[in-house]
Amino acid sequence: MAVSASVAKQCQHINLLLLVLLNALDFSAPSAAASANDHRFNVGEYVPIFVNKVGPFNNPSETYQYYDLPFCRPDPVIQKQESIGEILNGDRLTNTLYKLNFREEKALETLCQKKLNVAEIAKFRDAVINDFYFQMYYDDLPMWAFIGRVEDESWTLHENGPKHYLFKHVQFDVLFQGNQVIEIQAFSDPNHVLDITEDVETYVEFTYSVNWSETSVSFDSRMKKYAKASLLPIRQKIHWFSFINSIVIIVLLMGLLTLLIMRRLKNDLRKSSNGDEEEDKEVGWKYIHGDVFRYPSNLSLFCAILGTGTQLLTLVCILFLLAFFGVLYPYNRGALFTSLVLVYTITSVVAGYTAAAFHNQFSETKWVRSVLLAGILYLGPLLVIVFIVNAVAVSYGATAALPFGTIVVIFLIYMFIAIPLLALGGMIGYRFRSEFQAPCATKQCPREIPPLAWYRKTPCQMFIGGLLPFSAILIQLHHLYASIWGYKIYTLPGILFVSFVILVVLTAILSVGLTYIQLSVEDHKWWWRYVTRAYAH
């Protein structure tokens, strides 16, 4: 009862902090809804268009700047001012020679004429071989098209082998309603190509055309096109079927596990209430009542893990709220990464508070160490990985490489915002500390733990405890990873949220059940075992 009261008190403090964070987030988060007052143009007025990046179709994570290939370049080349999230997303929007004025038709408009040398021909040919595409943004709408094509069956009397062709004409089809742009598509015209199979200098004229058509789609609905393209209807049915199937399996397994635990617990309670001492000895968990509330070893690290886990849980919940409120939606450039940086920084106060609050329940000294560990336990390894990945990206010249200025900005944000919030949370946790009241006295000497079978040890229980939650969210992970590492768009945050809730509930039930099984065999070192099970899930 003392543990429950302490946990309830901590939850009340965490809820107060969450309310403060959500109120602060309402003022700092950008609105996702397209404003009808913006993006309005008169006939013939210039509409902003930017080239973004190029990359191989079979590897969405490998992207390069558009002008790394010898396309027609404006003079000067001006890069658009971007947010932190856009830079972290690998976006590098740059001005271009394309002029797509509002409702102005163009046919075979010359973009530029240039002479391609041997090195430039080789660059284009390598891009064509690797199925490179380019991405542009027109009035904040993304569009894609391929750079060239390869014809493998080009046999003549004198030569054989594949032919490589560069598309030199781009067709833009734009839909509008009133004075607003609704949709745009780019097509690389296969009828206008340049043979770049041989390493010879050649002149090329890049051209483009623009067609305008009226549509009945409203401006507020123009982003729904990208959501509909995320999954085919048949795949959506399979997605829902797999989700419902997972729900049924989880409910059955949770019910079975709960039934077994309650039956075992009732038997133990019945034996413990019997006055017969011989039967009382059979209740294993009663033997360790003087050891089960012993403080965990490495207390600072333990509390830091709790603080970091609470911060990440809060981060995920806030991201779900942003998705439900429409802040995060497909092709809102950099919104997800900007939210990650912002919310992680703000929730540092949660990590500091949780680490200090739990530490001060056991000891009123050295709580600062727990707070400091909570600040670097997740971010430290993450920065090492980012440094390695960034070094590789720099060596290849990919857009995933972070500019020095962005690194400095992120460092300053963490130093002057995250760390003070972390310290503030730690001081709040220390100020509202509560002493841990164990329901029974703790023995001075810990009881010896009997030998355990292999299936009762930590590695096996971690595997068993992680297998069931993983199987429950397998389908959701598949779609989520397909959106991260592929070209799919995850547009079902509601299902993802329900799966997340199921995962949390199932993890809690399995952790409680496995902990009880551990205590029933007189193994009183449950603190770290409980945490490892939870993080294994």
Side-chain angles (χ1 to χ4, degrees), residues 7-23 310 314 350 353-354:
V7 171
K9 187 175 182 180
Q10 302 299 336
C11 291
Q12 292 177 357
H13 294 313
I14 292 176
N15 290 334
L16 291 176
L17 287 175
L18 286 177
L19 290 176
V20 175
L21 292 176
L22 290 176
N23 290 330
T310 306
T314 307
V350 178
Y353 169 80
T354 305

Side-chain angles (χ1 to χ4, degrees), residues 298-305 307-308 351-352 354-356 358-360 365-377 422:
N298 298 322
L299 180 60
S300 296
L301 180 60
F302 184 85
C303 295
I305 291 177
T308 303
T354 305
F358 276 96
H359 186 104
N360 284 290
T365 59
K366 299 182 179 180
W367 61 271
V368 177
R369 182 182 178 186
S370 297
V371 175
L372 293 177
L373 285 175
I376 63 175
L377 193 61
L422 182 72

Side-chain angles (χ1 to χ4, degrees), residues 140-342:
D140 289 337
L141 293 174
M143 52 184 166
W144 303 263
F146 282 100
I147 293 175
R149 77 171 190 268
V150 179
E151 290 187 358
D152 293 329
E153 298 179 358
S154 298
W155 301 90
T156 65
L157 295 176
H158 303 287
E159 61 181 353
N160 56 45
K163 289 285 187 178
H164 305 93
Y165 296 100
L166 173 68
F167 295 133
K168 58 181 183 179
H169 180 78
V170 179
Q171 172 74 40
F172 297 100
D173 291 336
V174 191
L175 300 180
F176 70 94
Q177 184 196 55
N179 57 358
Q180 294 177 313
V181 177
I182 304 300
E183 182 181 333
I184 184 171
Q185 293 181 349
F187 300 96
S188 298
D189 194 340
N191 297 320
H192 298 78
V193 295
L194 175 68
D195 190 348
I196 56 174
T197 306
E198 303 295 334
D199 289 327
V200 293
E201 293 184 352
T202 182
Y203 283 92
V204 59
E205 181 181 11
F206 289 98
T207 60
Y208 67 99
S209 301
V210 186
N211 293 329
W212 289 84
S213 302
E214 193 167 6
T215 180
S216 59
V217 179
S218 64
F219 181 81
D220 294 335
S221 304
R222 68 176 188 166
M223 297 305 295
K224 292 183 179 180
K225 163 195 170 183
Y226 305 100
K228 292 179 180 179
S230 60
L231 290 173
L232 296 176
I234 185 172
R235 292 185 179 180
Q236 288 184 350
K237 292 180 180 178
I238 295 175
H239 183 86
W240 279 100
F241 176 78
S242 301
F243 173 74
I244 296 175
N245 185 56
S246 299
I247 293 290
V248 174
I249 294 176
I250 290 172
V251 171
L252 292 176
L253 291 177
M254 290 172 58
L256 179 61
L257 182 62
T258 305
L259 179 63
L260 292 176
I261 293 176
M262 293 302 296
R263 183 177 180 181
R264 181 73 178 271
L265 187 61
K266 287 181 180 179
N267 291 336
D268 290 344
L269 291 175
R270 186 175 61 254
K271 292 179 181 180
S272 63
S273 61
N274 196 317
D276 194 347
E277 296 182 358
E278 294 296 328
E279 290 187 359
D280 187 64
K281 293 181 179 180
E282 296 180 4
V283 184
W285 55 269
K286 288 193 63 179
Y287 282 147
I288 57 175
H289 67 276
D291 300 296
V292 72
F293 295 107
R294 192 180 306 277
Y295 297 169
S297 58
N298 298 322
L299 180 60
S300 296
L301 180 60
F302 184 85
C303 295
I305 291 177
L306 293 179
T308 303
T310 306
Q311 179 185 10
L312 296 179
L313 180 63
T314 307
L315 170 67
V316 172
C317 293
I318 294 178
L319 290 179
F320 275 120
L321 289 177
L322 294 179
F324 293 148
F325 292 152
V327 177
L328 304 179
Y329 60 92
Y331 293 108
N332 184 7
R333 287 197 318 274
L336 177 60
F337 286 101
T338 301
S339 301
L340 282 172
V341 174
L342 174 66

Side-chain angles (χ1 to χ4, degrees), residues 41-179:
F41 308 96
N42 298 320
V43 177
E45 186 178 351
Y46 172 74
V47 181
I49 179 173
F50 299 94
V51 293
N52 189 15
K53 52 191 175 183
V54 297
F57 182 74
N58 59 355
N59 186 9
S61 301
E62 181 186 358
T63 55
Y64 306 92
Q65 295 193 38
Y66 182 84
Y67 292 119
D68 285 348
L69 294 178
F71 288 112
C72 299
R73 299 166 61 96
D75 187 22
V77 175
I78 303 174
Q79 188 166 334
K80 182 178 178 293
Q81 193 72 23
E82 297 175 316
S83 64
I84 293 179
E86 292 174 320
I87 296 176
L88 293 177
N89 196 42
D91 292 328
R92 301 293 186 272
L93 271 66
T94 314
N95 63 327
T96 179
L97 294 175
Y98 289 102
K99 301 296 181 183
L100 278 67
N101 295 335
F102 188 72
R103 297 183 62 178
E104 187 175 290
E105 300 271 347
K106 292 185 178 181
L108 292 176
E109 183 80 10
T110 299
L111 185 67
C112 75
Q113 295 179 346
K114 64 181 303 184
K115 181 180 181 179
L116 297 178
N117 56 37
V118 174
E120 292 173 335
I121 289 289
K123 280 186 177 181
F124 272 129
R125 185 170 61 249
D126 183 67
V128 171
I129 292 174
N130 290 281
D131 289 332
F132 266 50
Y133 67 93
F134 64 81
Q135 184 188 45
M136 298 182 182
Y137 276 90
Y138 182 70
D139 191 30
D140 289 337
L141 293 174
M143 52 184 166
W144 303 263
F146 282 100
I147 293 175
R149 77 171 190 268
V150 179
E151 290 187 358
D152 293 329
E153 298 179 358
S154 298
W155 301 90
T156 65
L157 295 176
H158 303 287
E159 61 181 353
N160 56 45
K163 289 285 187 178
H164 305 93
Y165 296 100
L166 173 68
F167 295 133
K168 58 181 183 179
H169 180 78
V170 179
Q171 172 74 40
F172 297 100
D173 291 336
V174 191
L175 300 180
F176 70 94
Q177 184 196 55
N179 57 358

Side-chain angles (χ1 to χ4, degrees), residues 500-519:
F500 175 73
V501 172
I502 292 174
L503 176 64
V504 172
V505 173
L506 186 58
T507 299
I509 291 179
L510 285 176
S511 298
V512 172
L514 293 176
T515 300
Y516 173 75
I517 294 175
Q518 176 188 351
L519 296 178

Side-chain angles (χ1 to χ4, degrees), residues 1-12 293 358 361 434-439:
M1 294 298 294
V3 178
S4 301
S6 177
V7 171
K9 187 175 182 180
Q10 302 299 336
C11 291
Q12 292 177 357
F293 295 107
F358 276 96
Q361 289 189 50
S434 58
E435 185 179 355
F436 177 70
Q437 300 289 341

